Amino acid sequence: MSGAPRSGRRLSGKVVIATHNAGKLAEMRTLLAPFGIDAVSAGELGLPEPEETGTMFAENAAIKAQAAAAAAGLPAFADDSGLCVDALDGAPGIFSARWAGPAKDFAGAMARIASELDGRGATDRRAHFVSALVLAWPDGHTELFEGRVFGDLVEPRGSAGFGYDPIFRPDGHDRTFGEMTADEKHGIDWLKGEGLSHRARAFVALSRACLAPAR
Ligand code: ITT
C-alpha cells in the first residue's frame, strides 16, 4: 500500500456505493467524506443485488460494481470482503456473508468458526481480513485495489463495527475491531498513506490513484 501512487482514472461528481450491507455502507461513506464525492447507495437507488458467482474477492467486487454502474449510468464502487482463517484453509473467505445465513446471524457465524476450529483440534488462531475494492464506470472500465489486515481470533469482545469484528484482534493492538471506534478501525494516516483495516488499506490505495481531496 506504500510507494508512489498509481495513476488510475479519476473519479469526480456522483458515485454509487454498490453495497446492501449497512456496516460497509457507513464505512465507505466515512472514507469518501474527505473527497467531496456525492455518494448514493445501491439501496437508495433500488438497484437489485447481483448474484456473487465469482471464486475470488476481486471477481465478486467487479460483478457488483459493474452491475451497479450499468444500471445507474454512474461510476460505482463495490467492496467484496471476508475473513480468512488459516486453520480452516481460508474459510469462510468469500463465503463470509453466507456463513451468517439470510438472517445475517453473525453471532452464529462466529460460533461456527469456533466450533470448526475445536472440531479440528486446531490451536492456531491466525486469520486475516481481505477487501477487494472495485471502481467501475458505465463504459466498462474498472480499477481494482486490495487490502489485507492480519491478526488473531479471540473470544468475541465489543459491539462496534459489524460482521466478524468482535473476534478479530489486529496485530499490534490489544483490542478487537469490535472494541474500536470507526476511526480507530480505519486507522488512516493520510500523510503516510497508511490504514489499519483491510477496507481502509484498499481505500487509501484507491484514493491515491483515483480521488483528489475536496477543495
Ligand atoms: P454486499 O455484497 O452488498 O456489499 P455483503 O455483506 O454480502 O454485502 P460480502 O459478500 O463482501 O458483502 O461479504 C463480506 C462479509 O465479510 C460481510 O458480510 C462481513 O460478514 C464480513 N466482513 C467484511 N468486512 C468486514 C469487516 O470490516 N468487519 C467485520 N466483518 C467483515
Side-chain angles (χ1 to χ4, degrees), residues 19-21 24 52 64 81 106 162 165 185 198-199:
T19 181
H20 290 81
N21 177 320
K24 276 192 203 176
E52 296 181 25
K64 292 185 272 193
S81 47
F106 283 99
F162 64 97
D165 279 339
K185 178 180 170 186
H198 49 311
R199 189 163 298 103

Side-chain angles (χ1 to χ4, degrees), residues 152-198:
D152 289 310
L153 297 182
V154 297
E155 289 296 314
R157 294 201 317 246
S159 55
F162 64 97
Y164 299 90
D165 279 339
I167 57 170
F168 187 80
R169 186 182 59 206
D171 289 344
H173 293 262
D174 296 329
R175 287 172 298 149
T176 66
F177 275 164
E179 296 173 300
M180 294 185 183
T181 64
D183 276 352
E184 287 170 334
K185 178 180 170 186
H186 295 319
I188 291 187
D189 181 328
W190 291 113
L191 289 178
K192 291 187 183 159
E194 292 172 358
L196 173 60
S197 77
H198 49 311

